[in-house]
Amino acid sequence: MDLAFSPEEIAFRDEVRTFIATHYPAHLRGKQDEGEELSKEDMLSWHRVLARKGWVAPAWPKEYGGPGWTATQRYIFSEELARADTVPILPFGINMVGPVIYTFGTPEQKARFLPRILSGDDWWCQGYSEPGAGSDLASLRTRAERDGDFYIVNGQKTWTTLAQHADWGFFLVRTDPAAKPQEGISFLLIDMKSPGVTVRPIITLGGEHEVNEVWLENVRVPVENRIYEENKGWTCAKFLLAHERTGIAGVARSKRGIERLKGIARTELDDGGQPLLHNPFFRRKIADLECDLTALEFTELRTLAGEAAGRGPGPESSLLKIKGTEIQQRITELVLEAVGHYGAPYFRAFPEGSNAYPIGPDYAHRAAPTYFNMRKTSIYGGSNEIQRNIIAKMVLGL
């Protein structure tokens, strides 16, 4: 593997860096580092800027509105976004359902949905997990019964991220209860404004309204909104999850997180009055973290090289997911350790409407809520225990 960028790639990097510096919305600058809550408009404003440039979907083929970039260009782009600490582009439309639609959808479905995913006009959410079907996703119980040109959908989904803002959702539903678990599932696109769809908030330990439960009661969904064949939705689900797990690794963002951690460690002092970064025990923890992240980055580069050669994500996406989420969690653990007692008052978030002001430096007041929020990363997208089973089966042949 040649890790040196070509002159053309260096020119591309400079172009991306200049574009971000010039066009990133001023009202978003610093919000990531300061841990400020992002509104729906905050999350969409950068999306729209990139959409107008034609850069919002780096991995999409050119024929569907993507930029037609190489794997290396996509890697450079993600590095530059993380370096500038931009608001992340929400993955549900661009990285999840969009590729499913252009891979398995009909020409009519592609024409209807893909342009609005690119523009940000449609906000998507993911209806996979259920109270009794998380990592064991094939045990889902949400039913869809055929009624002429419609499906009648009944069931419950949970942990549905940002569904309170969603225009559309992509749902796995059981269309043949008599079939084997993975053979009786279909992939439906559901208008979240449909009668019978109810979204109820779940407030996280950090005090955020990020996830929801979604109830579906006699929701009528046109058959034309089914992607791929009836009872073959598991094929779409596996395709989507492989791409989701690769994205969950978050290597570029973790590199930014470690730099932020180092900045905190230069400021906060240990019991001896020295900066934490000079403390050999704390410095070793950061060094171990950086070594693991470097190894993960090379694994991600190998995965990208495989995609460039025409191979889709394989079992290595499970490895990326496991190590990537573990590293993300360790970063938040060390940030919380570094801020010490400044983090303690915020193990519970201030109630809505409170006029209390955070104690200590600005980087401290979100340390505990972020730590708690990141406990989820080793669970969503298929728990890390399940990913180890996949590796054992597909790589080790156990």
Side-chain angles (χ1 to χ4, degrees), residues 212-227:
N212 305 269
E213 57 181 2
V214 177
W215 293 83
L216 303 146
E217 300 173 283
N218 295 319
V219 179
R220 294 177 65 82
V221 180
V223 172
E224 66 185 23
N225 286 6
R226 185 192 72 227
I227 301 295

Side-chain angles (χ1 to χ4, degrees), residues 372-392:
F372 281 121
N373 188 279
M374 293 301 284
R375 299 307 94 193
K376 69 189 178 188
T377 61
S378 53
I379 300 172
Y380 66 48
S383 73
N384 286 7
E385 290 77 13
I386 295 296
Q387 303 315 309
R388 290 183 174 91
N389 288 343
I390 291 172
I391 292 170

Side-chain angles (χ1 to χ4, degrees), residues 1-4 297-306:
M1 182 185 297
D2 184 0
L3 297 180
E297 182 177 19
F298 288 153
T299 302
E300 183 179 58
L301 289 170
R302 286 196 297 270
T303 302
L304 290 174

Side-chain angles (χ1 to χ4, degrees), residues 12 50 54-78 81 89-91 93-103 114 117-118 239-240 242-244 246-247 300 303-304 307-308 310-313:
F12 173 75
L50 291 175
W55 286 0
V56 76
W60 284 29
K62 203 164 186 176
E63 62 187 291
Y64 298 122
W69 287 343
T70 65
T72 303
Q73 286 176 310
R74 298 201 302 271
Y75 171 78
I76 291 171
F77 185 65
S78 68
L81 292 179
I89 300 301
L90 291 175
I94 294 296
N95 296 337
M96 295 184 186
V97 74
V100 169
I101 292 172
Y102 68 62
T103 302
L114 294 182
I117 291 173
L118 289 171
F239 174 87
L240 185 149
H243 286 77
E244 178 186 5
T246 303
E300 183 179 58
T303 302
L304 290 174
E307 288 186 29
R311 300 190 300 273

Side-chain angles (χ1 to χ4, degrees), residues 261-339:
L261 170 62
K262 287 180 178 179
I264 294 172
R266 291 187 186 98
T267 303
E268 296 298 319
L269 307 179
D270 64 12
D271 293 339
Q274 296 295 316
L276 270 175
L277 199 60
H278 297 166
N279 181 293
F281 298 102
F282 195 84
R283 190 167 65 239
R284 178 173 179 173
K285 292 177 183 180
I286 294 179
D288 287 344
L289 195 56
E290 287 187 298
C291 289
D292 285 350
L293 183 58
T294 299
L296 182 65
E297 182 177 19
F298 288 153
T299 302
E300 183 179 58
L301 289 170
R302 286 196 297 270
T303 302
L304 290 174
E307 288 186 29
R311 300 190 300 273
E316 64 268 26
S317 64
S318 294
L319 178 60
L320 287 168
K321 198 270 179 178
I322 292 170
K323 294 303 297 183
T325 56
E326 288 178 348
I327 288 169
Q328 291 163 29
Q329 290 177 341
R330 285 162 59 194
I331 291 172
T332 64
E333 290 167 8
L334 289 180
V335 169
L336 188 57
E337 181 180 340
V339 302

Side-chain angles (χ1 to χ4, degrees), residues 3-309:
L3 297 180
F5 292 143
S6 68
E8 293 77 14
E9 289 162 347
I10 292 173
F12 173 75
R13 181 198 63 192
D14 293 342
E15 180 188 2
V16 172
R17 188 173 296 179
T18 300
F19 181 83
I20 295 172
T22 306
H23 293 88
Y24 189 64
H27 72 280
L28 295 180
R29 297 185 186 277
K31 281 198 171 187
Q32 289 289 100
D33 261 350
E34 295 165 11
E36 293 185 34
E37 185 175 349
L38 300 173
S39 68
K40 180 178 181 178
E41 185 54 38
D42 285 339
M43 288 182 268
L44 284 175
S45 57
W46 180 226
H47 179 120
R48 293 187 179 116
V49 171
L50 291 175
R52 289 192 293 270
K53 180 67 172 175
W55 286 0
V56 76
W60 284 29
K62 203 164 186 176
E63 62 187 291
Y64 298 122
W69 287 343
T70 65
T72 303
Q73 286 176 310
R74 298 201 302 271
Y75 171 78
I76 291 171
F77 185 65
S78 68
E79 286 282 304
E80 291 304 312
L81 292 179
R83 176 181 174 274
D85 202 31
T86 63
V87 171
I89 300 301
L90 291 175
F92 306 106
I94 294 296
N95 296 337
M96 295 184 186
V97 74
V100 169
I101 292 172
Y102 68 62
T103 302
F104 298 99
T106 65
E108 293 76 17
Q109 290 168 337
K110 295 174 187 178
R112 178 184 179 186
F113 292 108
L114 294 182
R116 293 181 64 85
I117 291 173
L118 289 171
S119 66
D121 290 338
D122 285 338
W123 180 300
W124 287 80
C125 65
Q126 180 183 25
Y128 271 29
S129 295
E130 299 182 4
S135 294
D136 183 18
L137 188 56
S139 64
L140 65 89
R141 299 174 62 185
T142 295
R143 295 276 297 272
E145 299 177 331
R146 187 75 177 259
D147 179 23
D149 292 333
F150 290 86
Y151 289 104
I152 309 300
V153 182
N154 285 278
Q156 180 190 2
K157 299 293 182 177
T158 194
W159 311 122
T160 313
T161 302
L162 299 176
Q164 71 268 29
H165 300 313
D167 303 296
W168 284 84
F170 51 97
F171 288 76
L172 291 182
V173 298
R174 189 161 300 286
T175 42
D176 185 356
K180 293 180 180 180
Q182 295 177 349
E183 295 178 1
I185 293 172
S186 295
F187 192 101
L188 295 185
L189 309 182
I190 299 180
D191 186 339
M192 295 296 287
K193 298 180 290 297
S194 301
V197 176
T198 303
V199 178
R200 297 172 183 166
I202 300 173
I203 304 303
T204 66
L205 279 170
E208 303 97 345
H209 177 195
E210 181 183 8
V211 291
N212 305 269
E213 57 181 2
V214 177
W215 293 83
L216 303 146
E217 300 173 283
N218 295 319
V219 179
R220 294 177 65 82
V221 180
V223 172
E224 66 185 23
N225 286 6
R226 185 192 72 227
I227 301 295
Y228 202 44
E229 302 173 23
E230 186 172 273
N231 300 322
K232 299 295 184 182
W234 193 251
T235 300
C236 301
K238 290 191 298 182
F239 174 87
L240 185 149
L241 284 170
H243 286 77
E244 178 186 5
R245 289 164 186 159
T246 303
I248 288 172
V251 171
R253 296 284 172 180
S254 287
K255 289 168 73 173
R256 171 65 178 173
I258 290 177
E259 289 305 311
R260 181 173 178 270
L261 170 62
K262 287 180 178 179
I264 294 172
R266 291 187 186 98
T267 303
E268 296 298 319
L269 307 179
D270 64 12
D271 293 339
Q274 296 295 316
L276 270 175
L277 199 60
H278 297 166
N279 181 293
F281 298 102
F282 195 84
R283 190 167 65 239
R284 178 173 179 173
K285 292 177 183 180
I286 294 179
D288 287 344
L289 195 56
E290 287 187 298
C291 289
D292 285 350
L293 183 58
T294 299
L296 182 65
E297 182 177 19
F298 288 153
T299 302
E300 183 179 58
L301 289 170
R302 286 196 297 270
T303 302
L304 290 174
E307 288 186 29

